[in-house]
Amino acid sequence: MTETKHNYNGPVLALSSAFLFGASTPIAKLLLGFADPLLLAGLLYLGAGAGLALVETGGRSLGLGRSEAPLRASDLPG
């Protein structure tokens, strides 16, 4: 019989994301007194991109590959 491995990280990741999303608004309001709104928006996008790059790089360095199959040309309709 095969054993099913349960992954319970989903709720922790969801709650962490919700916390960080909720914390970003008060922090952004504090920064609005010092920075132009366009500059602040650019910094937020830059931070998000840098964070995703760190997650991707960290996953690769730990040997965590993608779990889904790659999309091939034969998968496209037409």
Side-chain angles (χ1 to χ4, degrees), residues 56 58-68:
E56 183 69 23
R60 285 185 185 176
S61 67
L62 293 174
L64 302 173
R66 294 182 180 260
S67 60
E68 68 266 2

Side-chain angles (χ1 to χ4, degrees), residues 12-44:
V12 173
L13 291 174
L15 289 173
S16 300
S17 297
F19 173 77
L20 290 173
F21 180 76
S24 67
T25 302
I27 293 171
K29 266 191 147 183
L30 289 174
L31 292 175
L32 270 178
F34 302 109
D36 181 54
L38 283 176
L39 176 64
L40 181 59
L43 290 174
L44 289 173

